[in-house]
């Protein structure tokens, strides 16, 4: 077998999607999003997407870059996936080696990588010097059978309106301000600064998987109070990008309200499966998702490798 590692080309998008879905079958990803990620990444991120080609066929990929929005310098990410039939034949090792060499050349001190909680993936990471860090709990809800709570059986609370992200098309800044505030409170292993509004527009608001009609927003007395972001792939899959409530409005059940509204919209739009991922220490959202009937689908671990100076 002849193995080549090279930079991504637009014609590789379908193959990269296949590799990602093979490793993480719950992902909401499409050829369009793969190409968009490469085209839209901030220059400061030094984003790069490599593919492994075996005998003329793309069998895996690795996306990498630096956390340009972190106050701590030298932090980077590299996430590698290989299709099932090509594992154990050197594609993963070739991709990870190339990623590490590239990131080392940028002055990287630590590389963060996601891997599934399965023996093959864990052994691969640990043999390469990566150590286990935080975990993410991926959960699934069967929208064709789920008994979702009824929509507003007693009416909305006083002063509360439910809207969609599409209603903010002319001015999404209120959503940006809510997202910035809520994201700061999310647990994680890399602290990042709030993106400038222009960057948020480019990377969040214009994300090709964002479904504005299914993204629900709770407005209290005219102010955005809570929201639940929906990403879809046109294949019946829905991913909760983020559910958050601004600090001044917490404790009123608004996260459940917006998520329930979004899930109902998703089912009406033909979505069959809903997925979400939560940090293992994010007890409040894990409880909310359990209340909706989500069931465990997978556990991911973030692995970290410190590069030698």
């Amino acid at each position: 077998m002849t193995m080549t590692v090279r930079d991504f080309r637009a014609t590789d998008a379908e193959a990269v999607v296949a590799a990602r879905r093979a490793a993480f079958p719950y992902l909401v990803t499409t050829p369009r999003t793969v190409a968009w990620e490469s085209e839209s990444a901030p220059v400061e991120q030094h984003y790069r997407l490599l593919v492994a080609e075996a005998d003329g066929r793309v069998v895996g990929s690795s996306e990498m870059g630096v956390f340009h929005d972190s106050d701590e310098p030298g932090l980077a990410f590299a996430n590698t996936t290989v299709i099932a039939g090509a594992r154990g034949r050197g594609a993963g090792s070739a991709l990870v080696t190339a990623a590490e060499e590239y990131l080392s050349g940028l002055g990287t001190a630590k590389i963060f990588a996601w891997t599934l909680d399965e023996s093959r993936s864990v052994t691969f990471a640990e043999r390469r010097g990566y150590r286990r860090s935080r975990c993410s709990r991926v959960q699934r809800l069967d929208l064709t059978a789920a008994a979702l709570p009824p929509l507003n059986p007693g009416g909305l609370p006083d002063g509360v309106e439910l809207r969609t992200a599409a209603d903010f098309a002319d001015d999404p800044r209120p959503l940006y301000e809510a997202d910035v505030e809520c994201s700061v409170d999310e647990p994680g292993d890399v602290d990042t600064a709030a993106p400038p509004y222009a960057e948020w527009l480019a990377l969040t608001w214009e994300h090709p998987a964002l479904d504005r009609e299914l993204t629900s927003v709770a407005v209290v007395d005219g102010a955005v109070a809570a929201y639940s972001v929906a990403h879809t792939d046109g294949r019946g899959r829905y991913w909760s990008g983020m559910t958050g409530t601004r600090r001044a409005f917490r404790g009123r059940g608004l996260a459940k309200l917006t998520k329930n509204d979004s899930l109902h919209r998703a089912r009406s739009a033909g979505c069959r499966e809903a997925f979400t991922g939560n940090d293992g220490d994010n007890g409040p959202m894990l409880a909310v998702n359990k209340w909706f009937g989500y069931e465990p689908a997978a556990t991911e671990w973030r692995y970290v490798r410190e590069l030698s100076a």
Side-chain angles (χ1 to χ4, degrees):
M1 179 177 68
T2 303
M3 180 74 65
T4 303
V5 173
R6 59 169 175 78
D7 283 297
F8 167 81
R9 303 169 188 151
T11 53
D12 299 325
E14 290 275 3
V16 171
V17 168
R20 290 183 179 178
R21 287 178 181 161
F24 304 101
Y26 43 81
L27 283 182
V28 168
T29 185
T30 67
R32 183 184 174 203
T33 59
V34 168
W36 175 86
E37 287 165 358
S38 291
E39 297 165 357
S40 304
V43 173
E44 301 84 358
Q45 191 179 63
H46 296 283
Y47 183 88
R48 191 178 183 190
L49 179 57
L50 296 175
V51 300
E53 191 175 69
D55 296 333
R57 176 189 176 213
V58 172
V59 297
S61 69
S62 183
E63 62 169 353
M64 65 210 70
V66 301
F67 289 102
H68 67 292
D69 48 1
S70 173
D71 291 333
E72 182 179 351
L75 304 185
F77 62 90
N79 299 306
T80 302
T81 55
V82 178
I83 63 173
R87 292 172 192 165
R89 301 169 66 184
S93 293
L95 284 166
V96 171
T97 297
E100 290 172 348
E101 290 176 352
Y102 171 69
L103 295 173
S104 178
L106 296 175
T108 294
K110 292 181 183 179
I111 299 177
F112 294 79
W114 283 108
T115 187
L116 280 175
D117 187 19
E118 59 181 21
S119 59
R120 179 190 288 268
S121 299
V122 167
T123 299
F124 178 85
E126 292 179 350
R127 282 179 176 171
R128 297 194 65 93
Y130 287 78
R131 59 178 175 79
R132 182 174 289 191
S133 180
R134 304 186 74 92
C135 80
S136 175
R137 309 293 185 187
V138 180
Q139 299 146 87
R140 175 185 179 273
L141 183 67
D142 183 351
L143 287 175
T144 67
L148 293 175
L151 283 171
N152 316 318
L156 291 172
D158 289 343
V160 177
E161 298 177 75
L162 277 176
R163 300 181 186 173
T164 70
D167 296 325
F168 293 83
D170 292 338
D171 179 19
R173 185 176 283 274
L175 296 181
Y176 162 74
E177 293 170 352
D179 196 31
V180 164
E181 181 177 316
C182 294
S183 296
V184 167
D185 293 337
E186 265 205 308
D189 48 12
V190 177
D191 293 327
T192 56
Y197 182 52
E199 184 173 309
W200 181 89
L201 284 175
L203 300 183
T204 300
W205 185 248
E206 298 297 339
H207 195 292
L210 176 65
D211 195 318
R212 298 178 188 175
E213 295 288 349
L214 304 187
T215 296
S216 297
V217 183
V219 176
V220 178
D221 296 327
V224 170
Y227 60 95
S228 188
V229 175
H231 282 190
T232 56
D233 64 359
R235 302 169 65 243
R237 293 185 169 213
Y238 163 107
W239 177 270
S240 293
M242 170 74 171
T243 298
T245 304
R246 301 191 74 167
R247 299 183 191 102
F249 300 97
R250 291 174 187 170
R252 305 187 194 182
L254 296 178
K256 284 184 177 178
L257 183 69
T258 55
K259 186 149 192 173
N260 192 36
D261 184 66
S262 182
L263 288 171
H264 275 276
R265 289 177 181 276
R267 182 155 66 183
S268 296
C271 293
R272 299 182 299 275
E273 293 180 290
F275 293 91
T276 188
N278 299 116
D279 186 274
D281 291 336
N282 193 348
M285 277 312 304
L286 287 168
V288 166
N289 290 323
K290 184 176 181 180
W291 181 80
F292 275 110
Y294 279 83
E295 297 182 349
T299 297
E300 292 180 331
W301 287 97
R302 180 97 94 160
Y303 272 78
V304 185
R305 183 185 175 196
E306 298 188 17
L307 298 181
S308 302

